[in-house]
Amino acid sequence: MASDGNTSVMIGAMDDIIQRTRITVLIQGREVVVFYHKGEFYAMDMRCYHAGGPLHLGDIEDIDGKVCIICPWHKYKITLTDGEGLYEACNPRDFSTKWCSKGVKQRTHLVHVENGNVYVTLSDLSSPIDSDYYQSEKFKESIKVP
Ligand code: FES
């Protein structure tokens, strides 16, 4: 995903994140989860696009050849590489099923490793994506304890 020129933020030592397999970080006020899975790092907004579920607590599964996080709340499937929402469609004629895309629903971010440290660069925020709502001030206000 392209960056809008945001600077990279060092979020931790590579070895530490590999050992923990996932961490959450706050970057410029944004809650981000970084996963390490089978040799790759992935970063995305921590709250699920559907209803704000905690993606950092989800399981990772391979679905139709794509590495996905499964939201623990309602089991939505989201690809780690692009934030694409996947669903399983059923053909009513023969009840066969196939995986389909809803398009990009979850905001992902760039991750890179340099000198043993992991860096995240927030993606270009100029085009809205469904998950953005759960990073907004409006949402944060709505969950504030009075
Ligand atoms: Fe993630 Fe509903 S909040 S599937």
Side-chain angles (χ1 to χ4, degrees):
M1 181 170 283
S3 168
D4 65 352
N6 283 330
T7 52
S8 295
V9 175
M10 200 274 274
I11 57 151
M14 179 179 74
D15 291 345
D16 181 48
I17 297 170
I18 288 173
Q19 191 176 7
R20 294 164 65 183
T21 70
R22 56 189 66 188
I23 66 168
T24 58
V25 288
L26 197 61
I27 302 175
Q28 295 163 19
R30 213 166 177 95
E31 299 166 302
V32 173
V33 55
V34 177
F35 296 103
Y36 175 79
H37 181 75
K38 294 187 176 174
E40 299 288 337
F41 289 96
Y42 305 90
M44 62 174 42
D45 283 354
M46 190 193 83
R47 295 180 187 269
C48 173
Y49 74 89
H50 174 225
L55 294 180
H56 61 296
L57 302 179
D59 292 329
I60 294 176
E61 289 180 19
D62 186 291
I63 295 176
D64 204 26
K66 296 178 177 178
V67 183
C68 294
I69 184 74
I70 314 300
C71 180
W73 280 7
H74 312 102
K75 308 301 179 195
Y76 277 31
K77 286 106 176 108
I78 303 167
T79 65
L80 288 182
T81 48
D82 302 315
E84 191 180 5
L86 299 183
Y87 70 98
E88 195 169 29
C90 180
N91 183 333
R93 290 194 185 139
D94 61 6
F95 302 106
S96 62
T97 59
K98 71 171 186 176
W99 288 98
C100 299
S101 174
K102 301 177 188 175
V104 173
K105 296 292 190 176
Q106 189 75 23
R107 185 174 293 284
T108 57
H109 305 286
L110 295 173
V111 190
H112 78 278
V113 177
E114 201 175 305
N115 297 327
N117 292 315
V118 177
Y119 293 79
V120 171
T121 308
L122 294 184
S123 66
D124 178 356
L125 303 175
S126 60
S127 303
I129 293 177
D130 290 13
S131 64
D132 288 344
Y133 171 72
Y134 297 100
Q135 298 300 324
S136 69
E137 287 307 316
K138 188 175 175 187
F139 173 71
K140 289 174 187 169
E141 280 298 316
S142 75
I143 59 170
K144 255 189 190 163
V145 177

